[in-house]
Structure formats: structure tokens, C-alpha cells
Amino acid sequence: MTGSQIRRSMPLFPIGTVMQLTELTARQIRYYEEHQLISPARTDGNRRLFSLNDIDTLLEIKDLIDQGVNMAGIKQIFAQRVQKAMDQDLQNKPAIKAKKELTNEDIRKLLRKELTNAGRFNHSSLGGNMHRFFH
DNA sequence: CTTCTCACA
DNA sequence: TGTGAGTA
């Protein structure tokens, strides 16, 4: 039950492979890392190694980009997801486990779960503000 | 050859 | 975001 998760978070491929799988440029991939949307491991000579989780997070980001959502919007959506994930976590783990802190992996898992569900409705993350910007 | 960081005639 | 420079 944890083995698969370990595998999904295992650092495997270099940026070149990720570029082909996601159709994102190296520039973009690094940029999203700067904005903490992904956290690739590093190896040898400081080279990035992405996990399967990184890959599909990137694919989700790609979808959002293709739908016209900008970085600010994506960051908002993810932040919103993290928030909901944390709230949900607090509900499932009341006082007894209240001491437990969420690890980055926990957040990434919850993040993916949320993305899968909410990936349906139209996300104009900036909501009505988006209209103002283009008004 | 691939990837990295940094910077912008 | 692109892209070229100079490395590792």
C-alpha cells in the first residue's frame, strides 16, 4: 500500500525525458520548480531526476496552461488544493493524531487526489478578476 | 551529448 | 518564456 507510493515518488528520469513526456520546455519545467509546483530530486552533478508524481503534476500543469491559466492561477489552484487537503486531513485525523505534520509527500498525494476530482469544472482560478484583467 | 545556472543586442 | 553563454 506504500510500495506503489514509494515507486511513484522515486527519482527516475532526467529532464529530457520529462520534456518528451509532458511536451513542456526545459525552461518551463525549471520555472515550475522555482515556483514549488514540483520538487525533483538532484543527483550526480546537480542534475534533476523526476518521479512519476512529478510527471503527472507536470501534465496537470500542462493542461491548465493549455486551458489558458497563467502561473498565478496555477499557483492559486494548487495552494487552494493544499488548503483543502490540510482541512480534510484535520477532519480525518482529530486530536489523537493532531500532532502529526504533513510531509511533502503527503501533500503531493492529496494534491493529486484533488486534481483528479476537481479537474472537471472550468477553472478560471482568478474567477471574476480574470475578466477585469482582460476588460 | 545533456543538463545547469545566469542573464538579456 | 526564449535563448545563448560557459560549465560540469
Side-chain angles (χ1 to χ4, degrees):
Chain A
M1 194 191 280
T2 304
S4 64
Q5 294 164 185
I6 291 177
R7 265 180 285 277
R8 293 192 68 67
S9 62
M10 188 179 346
L12 297 175
F13 4 63
I15 199 167
T17 304
V18 179
M19 289 173 70
Q20 301 182 107
L21 269 41
T22 64
E23 292 184 272
L24 288 171
T25 65
R27 180 78 163 87
Q28 289 177 296
I29 297 172
R30 295 179 185 127
Y31 185 63
Y32 303 147
E33 177 188 24
E34 284 184 49
H35 289 264
Q36 344 241 314
L37 270 38
I38 53 175
S39 53
R42 294 295 184 120
T43 59
D44 346 289
N46 194 40
R47 286 177 156 64
R48 272 167 267 250
L49 279 191
F50 302 77
S51 67
L52 290 172
N53 280 325
D54 291 323
I55 301 296
D56 49 51
T57 292
L58 248 18
L59 288 173
E60 287 157 359
I61 292 174
K62 216 265 183 179
D63 282 0
L64 266 36
I65 292 293
D66 289 341
Q67 290 177 51
V69 182
N70 56 36
M71 275 305 330
I74 293 176
K75 290 180 70 176
Q76 272 190 46
I77 293 174
F78 274 64
Q80 192 175 300
R81 297 251 150 70
V82 174
Q83 265 303 324
K84 293 182 65 177
M86 291 180 81
D87 294 338
Q88 185 179 304
D89 184 74
L90 287 176
Q91 289 182 52
N92 297 323
K93 303 167 185 173
I96 302 178
K97 300 180 181 178
K99 184 178 180 181
K100 180 177 182 292
E101 283 184 40
L102 270 68
T103 65
N104 290 320
E105 287 307 312
D106 290 330
I107 293 178
R108 291 192 59 19
K109 280 172 50 185
L110 293 168
L111 217 58
R112 283 182 14 71
K113 182 180 180 181
E114 287 298 319
L115 282 168
T116 300
N117 294 321
R120 185 166 306 119
F121 60 84
N122 294 319
H123 20 33
S124 48
S125 60
L126 296 182
N129 294 321
M130 190 70 95
H131 293 83
R132 292 191 173 187
F133 292 160
F134 294 145
H135 189 169

